[in-house]
Amino acid sequence: MADARGMSRRQVGLGALALGGGLAFASLPADPAAAAAPSRGGGRPALRHGSAREAGLLPGPLRQLVTDAEAFLQPSPEHPWYAGAVLIAGRGRTVALHRPIGMAVRYQAYDEETDTGVEFPPDQQIPMAEDTVFDLASVSKLFTSILAVQQIERGRIELEAPVASYLPDFGRAGKQDVTIRQLLTHTSGFRAWIPLYEAPTYEEKVQRVYDEELASPPGTAYLYSDLNLISLQLVLEHVTGRRLDVLLREEITEPLGMRRTRYNPPASWKPKIAATEDARKPWSGLDRGLVWGEVHDENAYSLGGVAGHAGVFSDAWDLAVLARTLLDGGVCGRRRILRPESVELMFTDFNTAFPGDEHGLGFELYQHWYMGAMATPRTAGHTGFTGTALVLDPTTDSFLVVLGNSVHPVRSWRSGSAPRVAAANQLARAVPVRPARGRTAWFSGMASAATATLALPALDTSSGAARLSCALWWDTEPKADVLVLESSGDGGTTWKPVPFTTRRRGGSAEPHPTGTATGWSGRVWHDLTADLPAAPGLVVRWRYTTDRLYVGRGAYVDGLRVEKGHRRLFDESRPADATRLRAEGWSREED
């Protein structure tokens, strides 16, 4: 769901509220593992349950992930962020965490006067289960995007072709130059949202899309818009002669065995579906009462529950199967839904002209506001207004599913994206960083709004030519969180940056003339050297500073050494020297 005022997705993540809205679906299979099996014999299952160690993850952060998620069942700060959630975290083919928390159905209504939820009687409330089905909201856009890329593979759609070449009426109102790629990357110029549900018939809703004027010329700005994926739906249905729900079933869910994923769930699914909002004006565009078992988004609801931007229902296991399929290059067992090069395009930034709004074909990239410390230039994902999120990190081969009913009982109870960020931070933390030398390395931590320092003892470098060397690993929120190498010759009264050079193993030297490192470094160790200033009592330290919002995976330092010619002034590998290091906020982390 896009915000009616045209806010960016990042602004929504920081706490802005958007206009929301409503969709309606054979009994569910009892065994979630059945959803992972290929439809035709042979091949290995996409996923299996296993321990953190079997997944190559640290168990402590996964336990903390659940603890953090449960905290948001309480007021945060005034109301719960969600009534409940289902969490999946995994790496490789192992799901190391699959946990339901809270309630799938708790409230029968919202009392506007008292700002409270009217609860169902206890015997009518339904707890979350591993296989609870959720209205995915805008995570649905990923399915539409995959279907579009499939048709690009088959030559029925061209990425750079004008949309009007498939739908001539789309070219009205100055949209004749909008391309398929611009729909997929939200650079078409469409405004964020229009109330299609106000048009009385399906045909009139489509005409409103065709008649819509652009807010900016195509390709000149990024603006997240539901209209892009609704338009893409119309293209797909035109070129294939099949409805979007049929395409979803035949091209994605049946091949991958995703038996809990579809549009318009049947009534028999309702007891297994998480409820959403008591949808009433003025906060909703339509007066519908408690939305439960049908789509929340108003436009999708008015389009019959089948829409390119919203309307897909699914559970956490099915989304994990999809994640694993994409991380494996588009294949699950012996069933392939995309070529590897197509998946690569979905994870490649086409929006280099719009820094901060990185976007592949359908997938958002490198968005700390919900990916947290999992965010890298290749980390792909999407969120949904109802409280859902899917994050894939090809760098560490890990995936995260967070499905919450955060508009239950009303959308105004939640803002921001803190539970998604918290979960992503802990999964990122669970991926171990092996020390460069030996069994331990210094770790900066991942606290927000913090400063951590790691200082060497005072050294006599007064004769000059002293050089610091170590191994360095860093991954921080770009520009906002910074690692600084600095020195003081007056006992810590004043500090000056120390320029340094890093070299990725097998790569070329990279100078850091300001003595700082920030952003993405590839999540690999770099060899560092720095010429130190001359002083009789020089103190050298690393200082890691984070802002209050988001963090990256942090920084690691290993093998600190200061030499002058062949003489070692300091060597961390010597026990006596190691005890002289002063750490505030940094800690030793074992292999």
Side-chain angles (χ1 to χ4, degrees), residues 55-81:
L57 296 170
L58 302 173
L62 292 187
R63 290 193 293 269
Q64 189 62 45
L65 190 159
V66 176
T67 299
D68 290 349
E70 290 175 335
F72 292 101
L73 295 169
Q74 307 304 318
S76 52
E78 296 182 11
H79 300 288
W81 199 87

Side-chain angles (χ1 to χ4, degrees), residues 490-577:
D490 56 11
T493 302
T494 60
W495 295 89
K496 295 181 179 179
V498 177
F500 58 87
T501 299
T502 58
R503 184 187 298 273
R504 181 172 176 165
R505 309 235 171 125
S508 57
E510 178 184 355
H512 299 256
T514 62
T516 62
T518 186
W520 167 251
S521 72
R523 290 193 177 175
V524 295
W525 285 98
H526 297 243
D527 293 321
L528 176 145
T529 56
D531 293 326
L532 301 180
L538 186 74
V539 178
V540 180
R541 73 179 185 184
W542 285 107
R543 176 169 53 86
Y544 181 53
T545 305
T546 60
D547 70 357
R548 68 178 183 85
L549 290 177
Y550 315 115
V551 295
R553 183 59 175 80
Y556 288 79
V557 174
D558 197 8
L560 285 160
R561 181 182 298 174
V562 178
E563 297 176 303
K564 183 181 182 301
H566 296 292
R567 180 183 167 211
R568 293 186 182 177
L569 304 182
F570 178 88
D571 188 344
E572 186 187 358
S573 67
R574 298 188 301 215
D577 281 355

Side-chain angles (χ1 to χ4, degrees), residues 38 59 301 376 390:
Y301 176 73
T376 78
L390 173 65

Side-chain angles (χ1 to χ4, degrees), residues 270-301:
K270 186 173 180 178
K272 298 295 293 184
I273 297 176
T276 54
E277 188 175 35
D278 180 7
R280 288 182 280 123
K281 294 179 179 180
W283 57 86
S284 173
L286 298 172
D287 285 317
R288 300 170 58 198
L290 179 63
V291 179
W292 178 15
E294 57 185 15
V295 70
H296 174 258
D297 181 270
E298 294 99 334
N299 281 341
Y301 176 73

